[in-house]
Amino acid sequence: MSHTDTRRLGNVRLYAERCIREEADALLELIPQLDEGFDKAVELMFNCKGKIIVTGVGKSGHIGAKIAATLSSTGTPSFFINPLDVFHGDLGVMTPNDVVLAMSNSGQTDELLRFIPMLQHSNIPIISMTGNADSLLAKYSDAHILVYVKKEACPLNLAPTSSTTAALAMGDALAIALMEVRGFEQRDFAQFHPGGSLGRRLLTTAADVMHTDDLPIISPEMHLGEAIIHVSKGKLGMGVAMSDGRVAGLITDGDIRRAMERWQAQFFDKTVSDVMTTTPKCIPTTMKIAEVQKLMHKHKIHSVLVTDEEHHLLGIVDSYSCVV
């Protein structure tokens, strides 16, 4: 290995830092480029009655595929199509209800320019995303989004680096703007991501995860010495005091420890009613796990009781149950 190679290997972190800084600068330089073209693009996509069809060649195509996936997952039906396939029958998937988002850094990509007349003939709106506002693609678009970068992070200024990062970020900006305009919420997100952890938390209810077997039920009159046994057997760190078939209170292993410290020798003379919480947090079976987690976090508790309208105990949800 030559001395030059060794020196270069010793600077790899500097190269990485320079690349990241240059790409970060390129992203910040996008902000002044936001104009009425971006506004028009969001308006076209928001009012689209069909699909957003994203297209691009090469690296722009790879970025376009990711943008299409992001749009679809955030409430804007979208898919990616290779412009080369358009000339071999795939133009048939496009309708006047659709909107095309065409991506090209130069704005002069021949494969994209060739099917613009077809789109115009079918009255399909075109949004272009390019680094050249004077390009043919920008000129023949209904809305143009400028994504110009001064230079690539590549030391040769050749490999698409800053330009693709900028295009990806602008695609995210479109998706986020559309989410805000639509009032897209967590519940909506879960419907598009039912297999993810967020989707499960937002769709799973207390009834789906609550403990129902061998619940640690005790009576308010039970002495604390006996209550310890029931709380221990229940393995939930708590005991539910029941009276006339309804929840009367809750006692935790922490309550028991504090009672032992307080009363010491008199501890075994005390009953559950002396230490129990008479207003435990109770939830319905229909409460979503995401809301249960918020409730636990707010009140700094690890378990909640699941009850019906008459305060009958149906089950217990603890923090471990919420890990879905």
Side-chain angles (χ1 to χ4, degrees):
M1 183 181 296
S2 69
H3 175 72
T4 301
D5 291 336
T6 302
R7 179 175 57 81
R8 287 176 176 172
L9 283 172
N11 291 328
V12 291
R13 292 187 189 177
L14 293 177
Y15 305 149
E17 179 182 341
R18 182 178 63 195
C19 174
I20 293 171
R21 288 186 183 279
E22 289 184 359
E23 293 201 7
D25 290 340
L27 292 183
L28 292 176
E29 289 170 0
L30 291 180
I31 296 175
Q33 299 180 43
L34 294 171
D35 57 15
E36 62 275 4
F38 184 87
D39 300 342
K40 179 64 175 178
V42 172
E43 180 182 354
L44 286 171
M45 298 170 82
F46 176 71
N47 292 320
C48 177
K49 303 301 181 183
K51 310 168 293 296
I52 307 299
I53 300 172
V54 186
T55 186
V57 179
K59 301 297 188 297
S60 293
H62 295 309
I63 298 300
K66 191 275 179 185
I67 291 174
T70 300
L71 289 170
S72 289
S73 69
T74 52
T76 301
S78 175
F79 67 88
F80 175 80
I81 186 171
N82 190 314
L84 298 177
D85 295 331
V86 171
F87 302 106
H88 299 281
D90 283 4
L91 185 64
V93 304
M94 302 183 187
T95 73
N97 290 325
D98 299 332
V99 171
V100 168
L101 172 60
M103 303 183 59
S104 167
N105 187 41
S106 69
Q108 301 292 126
T109 304
D110 183 62
E111 293 88 346
L112 293 178
L113 297 177
R114 286 167 57 194
F115 78 83
I116 285 181
M118 305 177 195
L119 299 177
Q120 292 177 329
H121 179 73
S122 300
N123 294 317
I124 299 174
I126 304 170
I127 300 170
S128 60
M129 185 185 297
T130 82
N132 183 1
D134 297 320
S135 64
L136 288 175
L137 182 57
K139 178 180 178 181
Y140 288 105
S141 299
D142 296 276
H144 174 250
I145 300 173
L146 182 62
V147 187
Y148 170 75
V149 298
K150 294 178 180 178
K151 66 180 296 292
E152 300 289 0
C154 165
L156 302 177
N157 197 28
L158 294 175
T161 45
S162 296
S163 59
T164 50
T165 300
L168 183 61
M170 189 62 78
D172 287 342
L174 279 172
I176 298 306
L178 284 164
M179 287 178 68
E180 294 285 358
V181 172
R182 295 186 194 283
F184 198 82
E185 299 180 348
Q186 278 193 336
R187 184 178 301 276
D188 303 307
F189 191 88
Q191 292 176 350
F192 290 93
H193 300 76
S197 60
L198 174 61
R200 292 193 293 273
R201 286 192 292 112
L202 291 172
L203 298 176
T204 303
T205 65
D208 297 323
V209 300
M210 65 184 184
H211 299 280
T212 57
D213 297 328
D214 300 321
L215 297 179
I217 296 175
I218 55 181
S219 70
E221 297 78 21
M222 182 180 291
H223 284 88
L224 291 179
E226 185 180 355
I228 292 176
I229 299 174
H230 287 272
V231 170
S232 178
K233 286 183 177 179
K235 298 181 180 180
L236 294 174
M238 59 183 294
V240 184
M242 301 287 292
S243 179
D244 296 326
R246 292 178 172 81
V247 174
L250 176 72
I251 185 172
T252 67
D253 50 8
D255 295 328
I256 293 174
R257 287 195 302 272
R258 287 186 288 272
M260 294 179 71
E261 294 174 358
R262 177 183 178 185
W263 285 307
Q264 297 185 16
Q266 288 77 38
F267 170 80
F268 291 98
D269 296 327
K270 301 297 181 179
T271 64
V272 170
S273 61
D274 291 322
V275 298
M276 70 181 186
T277 299
T278 57
T279 56
K281 300 302 176 185
C282 299
I283 63 171
T285 56
T286 55
M287 180 175 282
K288 299 296 190 294
I289 291 304
E291 295 300 318
V292 176
Q293 289 177 317
K294 289 181 182 179
L295 182 68
M296 290 181 179
H297 179 74
K298 177 181 178 180
H299 296 282
K300 295 180 174 58
I301 56 178
H302 302 288
S303 302
V304 291
L305 307 182
V306 184
T307 60
D308 60 17
E309 294 180 354
E310 298 180 352
H311 232 46
H312 297 127
L313 181 66
L314 303 177
I316 297 173
V317 175
D318 62 8
S319 57
Y320 296 104
S321 307
C322 295
V323 181
V324 295

